[in-house]
Amino acid sequence: MKFLFRYWWHQTKMIMRINIVTIPVMSVVMACCFFLNVFSELDYFAVPLSLLAGFAFFMIILMLTALIVVLSERKVISVFNAEGFSDSYLRLYEKENIIGKPYKENSAVVFAEIMVRSGHVKEAMQYFDIIKVSPENRFAYTALIYLKMLAALKAGEPQLADSIWNQERHYVAWAADKPARSVDKALLLLVTIYADCANGRYERALQQTVTYMQSKQFRRYKTAEFDFRIVHLFILKKLGREAFNNIAPAVKYDIETKTHLYDWEMEQYLIDFNKAVNGVFPWQ
């Protein structure tokens, strides 16, 4: 139950972030309705009460929307929360969202991600040749580029990861320049840093990592926070930088003490952390 509440609040915040412009507009619209139909006779209190009621009413709608999302995904996300990217989660997602279901770009990409992260890299690379995703679907297309490069790196083919990046470099440059979508920029930059590391370009990888982690966008959204902090640690280790010894304890402490959305995340981050401190690619 704790996880479902946590996931509901996460979904609520995501919906609020997506509707950051819509919220004040719709709140004013609802406030006008309340003013005309409920509070118009309250003199001085009419306007503030109408605004408060309008905002509260629209926020309740957003929260109920998030609740519907959670309830519709409850079966699948509960398994994911308990097991992470496991084979059983892969098969359950396939049963619930892929087999016998109308083709959806987002579902296909999520299924590909589960394959990549659960160790079915070759199957995922074959699946990439089957699915079609429109560049207009920024979420799915960005994730697909990320997954193709990640799969290539996991398969021990860093040159292929570079090739994929070069094929999509115009889209990558365009998507990464859109500050409103922090996830797009974070995923594309993260896998680019991975590819730089795998191809021995550690100095460039360090520069990109540090620049992004010092940006307002990263400090505000914390997208893939520990992925960046762990790969930063890995790069410092490979370059033999003294900063490694100062940063490593702080990263481990934060992994162990901060609240994670899913129950499996802390253990996985600690595994990746140990890889990094031993100079092993954390994404392998």
Side-chain angles (χ1 to χ4, degrees), residues 13-25 58 62:
K13 290 188 293 184
M14 286 184 61
I15 292 173
M16 289 172 61
R17 186 177 297 171
I18 293 171
N19 291 278
I20 192 67
V21 175
T22 307
I23 289 174
V25 174
F58 189 65
L62 295 183

Side-chain angles (χ1 to χ4, degrees), residues 203-254:
E203 289 290 352
R204 191 172 85 167
L206 179 62
Q207 180 182 6
Q208 291 193 91
T209 304
V210 171
T211 300
Y212 180 64
M213 289 175 64
Q214 291 176 343
S215 69
K216 291 181 179 179
Q217 191 175 47
F218 179 75
R219 292 196 299 270
R220 179 179 179 183
Y221 295 110
K222 296 294 184 181
T223 305
E225 175 187 2
F226 287 113
D227 295 294
F228 277 100
R229 293 180 67 182
I230 288 170
V231 76
H232 180 218
L233 200 62
F234 167 76
I235 297 168
L236 293 175
K237 175 72 174 182
K238 297 297 289 187
L239 291 175
R241 299 294 169 83
E242 186 177 342
F244 171 86
N245 295 321
N246 298 323
I247 293 174
V251 174
K252 186 173 187 292
Y253 176 81
D254 287 344

Side-chain angles (χ1 to χ4, degrees), residues 63-196:
M63 291 178 179
L64 288 175
T65 302
L67 181 61
I68 292 171
V69 171
V70 172
L71 293 177
S72 67
E73 299 178 351
R74 180 175 181 175
K75 183 178 180 180
V76 174
I77 62 170
S78 294
V79 173
F80 180 56
N81 178 63
E83 301 183 14
F85 292 99
S86 64
D87 284 352
S88 57
Y89 173 55
L90 174 68
R91 299 311 164 202
L92 177 61
Y93 190 90
E94 182 179 33
K95 177 183 176 181
E96 295 292 326
N97 297 281
I98 304 298
I99 298 177
K101 301 295 191 297
Y103 176 76
K104 295 180 180 179
E105 292 180 344
N106 288 5
S107 298
V109 170
V110 171
F111 185 53
E113 179 184 19
I114 302 169
M115 280 194 281
V116 171
R117 293 184 179 273
S118 62
H120 300 273
V121 177
K122 290 184 178 180
E123 293 93 326
M125 295 175 82
Q126 293 172 349
Y127 189 61
F128 293 146
D129 295 330
I130 299 174
I131 61 175
K132 301 296 181 182
V133 176
S134 169
E136 295 179 359
N137 185 345
R138 279 179 56 188
F139 163 78
Y141 201 80
T142 298
L144 187 60
I145 296 172
Y146 167 80
L147 291 170
K148 284 182 176 181
M149 292 181 65
L150 184 63
L153 295 171
K154 284 180 173 289
E157 301 181 37
Q159 295 84 5
L160 176 58
D162 274 357
S163 176
I164 295 168
W165 190 94
N166 285 324
Q167 291 172 10
E168 301 287 353
R169 62 185 181 277
H170 296 300
Y171 180 87
V172 171
W174 173 79
D177 194 40
K178 302 294 181 182
R181 291 295 298 272
S182 63
V183 175
D184 294 348
K185 183 170 185 175
L187 288 180
L188 294 173
L189 183 57
L190 182 64
V191 78
T192 300
I193 292 166
Y194 286 171
D196 281 344

